[in-house]
Amino acid sequence: MESIKIKELGNIPEELIKDFDRVASGLIEHQDFSEEKVLGLFAQMLENPKKYAYSRNKVTNLAKKVFELQKSGIEIELTEFGKSCLPIEQTMSLEEKPIRESMEFNLREDNLNYSIFGADYIEQGALNQMNTALSLPISIAGSLMPDSHQGYGLPIGGVLATEPDKIIPYAVGVDIACRMCLSVFDIPVDFFKKEPHLLKKSLMEKTKFGIGGEIRDKVDESVMDKIEWTATKVIRDLKDKAYKQLGTSGTGNHFVEWGIIEITEVDETLNLPVGQYLALLSHSGSRGFGGTVAGIYSKIAKQKTILPKEASHLAWLDLNTEEGQEYWIAMNLAGDYASANHHEIHAKLAMAISAKPILMVENHHNFAWKEVYKGKDVLVHRKGATPANKNELGIIPGSMTASGFVVKGLGSESSINSASHGAGRLMSRTAALNSITKSSMNKVLNDFGIELIGGDLDEAPMVYKDINDVISAQKDLVKVLAKFTPKIVRMADANRKEGRED
């Protein structure tokens, strides 16, 4: 590209023109960029050099030089030509939908029957909540997983199929698109003996936990370019927070951990040879973005859909209304964002050990999907439940001392193609904090050879059900393909003034 075109973008110092030329040539020759696209990228970088300097992108190093000049007082301002090179900002417009007035609804006198898996391991409070959910006039079918325990509205571990245009924010969950992600590396497990300090250091330096957690350096921020960020005022107002928190993890039961994955038989779905491998497992969701969306639209749902007191948290939004459409777009965007969040974490940790994963497995477990059940279109809410359609891969973790499992769905209609999302809690956080001591937790960790960074007593291994019992109770729902054993676990530091995001 001729230097004169780059010079026309703005008052770029002469000593930087060669750098711009070199980057432009590389983009055109190796990335198949057009001259127009290169000029557009340069114009965006010059408009906001800090953003491009602190993220991994095609002009990072160049942006750092421009930003250093800016910090020293030398501003590069775009000319009118430079401004004309900026891409036209696209915005997403919503299809016009009516705003529904508030309406009162009664519950069915007799709730629908539903399947229960592992009934011996499920507390009465969860059963009561599921009974209420199946008495909603919009409910079609339900199922309760063996890790179930009481939550808000729908129990955690509850699966609820509703009419296809009705969505219940509290049945999706507060942490929208809470998600599992597993990376498998072709590295022998003796890496734990050879490089334990590297593995621990990587977790300490490359992860960030906590409600206010933010991180500056990004590997891939392309999720922030999605047009859905322009769709509504709620989403637009949260975009800056989402960008700052991209690549971070929440509190509660969210974690990032190094461990060993063991494959005992070859399965074409997983497609890995038998053996043991180094693996990385993470659990977190859509951070402050998803939590705020959940709070706003749960409140709107309760205002629009008036239900008896025992069912008030199961208020729904109609997808044929403006508020329903807004929530649907935000929920799906939160899903994309949560996935990108995990990928950001895994990419940084993979680079820290100078390796690339040979396999990644991931799944949501707080979400709603449009599916077909018994020939009917439905909306399936899985709150703390793993999708288990036929041959679909998923991850069911245990606790910080108990193994988790990579599973293949068997497509069971009785569970609405679902499985558990973990072991499930035996006791509440309050009960755990009041009954478990630090010394007793440390003893258990030592007995299992687990190194814990952060964490608190409300996530002690003793607060969870036996994962082996939970897996046994759903052998008709999933097939176990691999076992993951944690070794070095990173969680949010103890801070009981913060809420919990799980």
Side-chain angles (χ1 to χ4, degrees):
M1 179 177 293
E2 298 174 6
S3 297
I4 187 64
K5 290 186 178 180
I6 293 173
K7 287 180 179 179
E8 289 179 5
L9 291 171
N11 57 319
I12 303 170
E14 193 64 38
E15 64 268 22
L16 282 186
I17 293 297
K18 287 185 178 180
D19 294 307
F20 274 84
D21 277 340
R22 178 177 47 78
V23 174
S25 297
L27 290 172
I28 291 170
E29 292 173 16
H30 305 297
Q31 302 289 335
D32 291 328
F33 271 47
S34 66
E35 291 189 6
E36 181 183 7
K37 189 173 180 180
V38 170
L39 288 170
L41 179 58
F42 283 167
Q44 291 177 86
M45 182 269 285
L46 290 171
E47 187 179 48
N48 189 355
K50 182 178 180 180
K51 172 185 174 183
Y52 285 85
Y54 287 125
S55 63
R56 187 175 294 273
N57 56 76
K58 300 183 189 308
V59 293
T60 300
N61 293 331
L62 188 57
K64 286 179 180 177
K65 293 181 180 181
V66 174
F67 184 51
E68 286 301 318
L69 285 176
Q70 189 181 79
K71 288 195 295 183
S72 69
I74 301 174
E75 292 280 351
I76 300 178
E77 295 184 0
L78 289 174
T79 62
E80 288 303 313
F81 171 74
K83 291 175 183 177
S84 73
C85 291
L86 290 168
I88 298 172
E89 184 176 349
Q90 292 183 307
T91 57
M92 184 177 185
S93 58
L94 297 182
E95 184 182 346
E96 286 191 18
K97 299 285 186 182
I99 297 175
R100 182 165 68 82
E101 299 298 322
S102 298
M103 294 180 64
E104 292 190 22
F105 294 86
N106 294 319
L107 303 179
R108 289 186 172 100
E109 292 186 7
D110 296 318
N111 60 285
L112 300 170
N113 292 324
Y114 61 95
S115 300
I116 303 173
F117 297 88
D120 292 343
Y121 313 119
I122 300 174
E123 62 188 8
Q124 188 59 46
L127 294 168
N128 293 342
Q129 286 187 320
M130 201 67 199
N131 289 334
T132 301
L134 269 296
S135 69
L136 295 175
I138 63 167
S139 293
I140 304 296
S143 183
L144 203 54
M145 300 298 103
D147 62 335
S148 296
H149 54 96
Q150 190 168 336
Y152 288 101
L154 194 68
I156 290 111
V159 182
L160 183 67
T162 63
E163 295 172 4
D165 56 357
K166 306 296 190 300
I167 191 164
I168 305 171
Y170 265 124
V172 169
V174 175
D175 187 10
I176 300 174
C178 193
R179 183 177 180 87
M180 301 300 306
C181 186
L182 172 78
S183 287
V184 180
F185 298 90
D186 192 12
I187 296 175
V189 297
D190 62 0
F191 198 80
F192 281 100
K193 294 180 180 178
K194 292 180 178 179
E195 298 285 355
H197 300 299
L198 174 61
L199 293 174
K200 181 178 179 180
K201 182 182 178 185
S202 68
L203 290 177
M204 293 288 289
E205 295 183 352
K206 303 300 181 183
T207 64
K208 182 79 172 180
F209 285 77
I211 286 179
E214 297 178 357
I215 204 160
R216 187 177 64 182
D217 299 327
K218 317 291 184 188
V219 175
D220 179 5
E221 57 187 43
S222 58
V223 69
M224 304 307 302
D225 295 331
K226 294 182 70 68
I227 196 171
E228 285 84 355
W229 290 106
T230 68
T232 69
K233 185 178 186 304
V234 168
I235 294 173
R236 290 192 296 271
D237 288 348
L238 290 169
K239 184 178 180 181
D240 186 56
K241 173 188 272 192
Y243 174 75
K244 290 176 181 177
Q245 292 191 329
L246 181 64
T248 68
S249 305
T251 56
N253 61 12
H254 294 169
F255 60 78
V256 182
E257 57 193 23
W258 289 109
I260 297 170
I261 189 166
E262 182 179 9
I263 298 166
T264 55
E265 64 176 284
V266 175
D267 185 278
E268 61 181 14
T269 314
L270 198 58
N271 195 28
L272 278 182
V274 169
Q276 292 185 326
Y277 304 81
L278 175 72
L280 179 71
L281 183 64
S282 57
H283 174 219
S284 61
S286 49
R287 304 295 282 112
F289 170 61
T292 304
V293 166
I296 290 171
Y297 288 96
S298 294
K299 184 177 180 180
I300 292 173
K302 291 175 77 171
Q303 292 169 346
K304 299 290 183 180
T305 305
I306 313 300
L307 292 167
K309 184 177 180 181
E310 68 271 22
S312 61
H313 279 98
L314 293 166
W316 62 84
L317 295 168
D318 191 321
L319 294 181
N320 300 304
T321 64
E322 182 179 307
E323 56 271 14
Q325 190 184 32
E326 287 182 2
Y327 176 76
W328 179 255
I329 291 168
M331 182 199 74
N332 281 283
L333 180 58
D336 293 338
Y337 175 76
S339 177
N341 224 8
H342 283 273
H343 289 186
E344 188 78 10
I345 294 166
H346 283 238
K348 287 180 178 177
L349 288 165
M351 286 189 286
I353 64 168
S354 303
K356 290 185 178 180
I358 55 174
L359 174 74
M360 288 188 78
V361 180
E362 52 192 323
N363 65 267
H364 293 329
H365 49 225
N366 277 16
F367 211 67
W369 292 261
K370 291 181 178 180
E371 297 182 9
V372 175
Y373 174 74
K374 292 187 175 180
K376 296 179 65 174
D377 289 334
V378 294
L379 197 68
V380 179
H381 302 71
R382 294 185 177 92
K383 183 181 181 182
T386 301
N389 295 288
K390 191 171 181 61
N391 293 328
E392 184 174 16
L393 293 176
I395 305 159
I396 302 177
S399 70
M400 62 178 75
T401 59
S403 297
F405 298 91
V406 178
V407 298
K408 179 174 71 173
L410 299 180
S412 169
E413 189 177 78
S414 60
S415 71
I416 317 179
N417 297 317
S418 307
S420 79
H421 84 310
R425 296 187 74 91
L426 276 173
M427 64 176 79
S428 69
R429 295 191 181 280
T430 301
L433 293 171
N434 290 335
S435 62
I436 295 172
T437 65
K438 192 168 184 177
S439 61
S440 64
M441 185 173 86
N442 286 340
K443 184 180 185 306
V444 173
L445 293 174
N446 289 332
D447 288 345
F448 282 85
I450 304 298
E451 184 163 7
L452 174 64
I453 307 165
D456 203 352
L457 302 179
D458 56 347
E459 283 298 323
M462 307 85 98
V463 309
Y464 285 96
K465 300 174 185 179
D466 186 329
I467 185 65
N468 295 301
D469 290 338
V470 171
I471 292 295
S472 294
Q474 51 189 327
K475 61 180 181 295
D476 294 332
L477 312 183
V478 292
K479 177 184 178 183
V480 172
L481 301 182
K483 181 172 75 171
F484 173 87
T485 303
K487 289 297 181 183
I488 308 174
V489 180
R490 177 77 169 104
M491 303 186 81
D493 295 329
N495 182 353
R496 295 175 194 177
K497 292 181 181 179
E498 286 189 334
R500 292 294 185 255
E501 291 190 14
D502 55 349

